[in-house]
Amino acid sequence: LYLRMPYYAKWLQSQENSLVNRGLVTREELANPNGPLEIHEKAGIKPAKPEAVVEYFTTDMSSEVAATEKPSFSVGDDVVVRNEHPTWHTRVPRYLRGNRGVIYKHHGMHIFGDEVPESEHPGPQHLYTVMFSSKELWGERGNNNDRIFAELTEFHIEAVT
């Protein structure tokens, strides 16, 4: 089942299992989301007040840090996504690897989000929005007018040579 499931189905199942295992929801409630909802009292868990929810969602939780070096790329630069297949979790979608794009926007330097071994951790990275044509990614199936945007770090891209 796991091998046939799309990524977000795996993510959703993981979240559902976590809620059930912690006693916060039952399988019956998940199977019937429009049915009666039972409030589960759990020691140490108190529902958030509306003001706290608003504050949480309006607080800047950016991973941006002070830049320690100049960015390697500028808006308009042609880049290619490194075609690597690490054994650890990477934020680079497989369909982008090895493809060419154009730097659309620079977002400053950010904490590196991949789960790499400590010995290979590159530290904070400049973050860019890279624009790809759908023809670049999907060949003749792509539409000439469609563009795909992805946020990628310098660690994942290189200049077109």
Side-chain angles (χ1 to χ4, degrees):
L1 176 64
Y2 179 86
L3 294 175
R4 292 191 314 257
M5 293 172 71
Y7 175 83
Y8 285 107
K10 293 174 192 169
W11 178 87
L12 179 60
Q13 185 176 47
S14 169
Q15 297 302 309
E16 289 176 352
N17 289 342
S18 178
L19 291 170
V20 169
N21 292 340
R22 293 186 339 205
L24 298 173
V25 68
T26 65
R27 290 276 174 211
E28 292 75 25
E29 289 170 328
L30 291 173
N32 184 13
N34 294 322
L37 179 63
E38 187 178 321
I39 304 299
H40 301 276
E41 294 293 328
K42 225 28 192 165
I45 298 178
K46 295 179 183 171
K49 294 185 179 189
E51 308 82 51
V53 173
V54 169
E55 181 181 346
Y56 176 82
F57 283 108
T58 57
T59 300
D60 179 13
M61 291 185 268
S62 171
S63 63
E64 188 170 6
V65 297
T68 56
E69 54 194 57
K70 291 185 177 191
S72 297
F73 304 104
S74 300
V75 171
D77 286 353
D78 291 323
V79 294
V80 64
V81 180
R82 293 169 64 185
N83 193 9
E84 297 182 329
H85 303 275
T87 56
W88 58 78
H89 173 73
T90 179
R91 295 181 182 271
V92 179
R94 215 171 272 278
Y95 64 87
L96 294 178
R97 297 175 195 173
N99 287 298
R100 293 172 65 142
V102 175
I103 300 293
Y104 183 79
K105 186 172 183 178
H106 175 245
H107 299 282
M109 189 169 259
H110 289 257
I111 294 170
F112 187 66
D114 287 15
E115 296 173 5
V116 301
E118 192 59 39
S119 62
E120 298 183 42
H121 199 286
Q125 295 284 301
H126 283 279
L127 179 67
Y128 304 91
T129 298
V130 181
M131 179 178 64
F132 301 87
S133 73
S134 66
K135 291 276 190 189
E136 173 70 21
L137 300 180
W138 294 292
E140 289 308 310
R141 293 180 297 162
N143 183 308
N144 282 329
N145 298 319
D146 291 344
R147 301 290 178 264
I148 293 82
F149 297 85
E151 275 70 43
L152 300 168
T153 64
E154 280 191 9
F155 184 81
H156 297 115
I157 57 179
E158 50 196 28
V160 173
T161 55

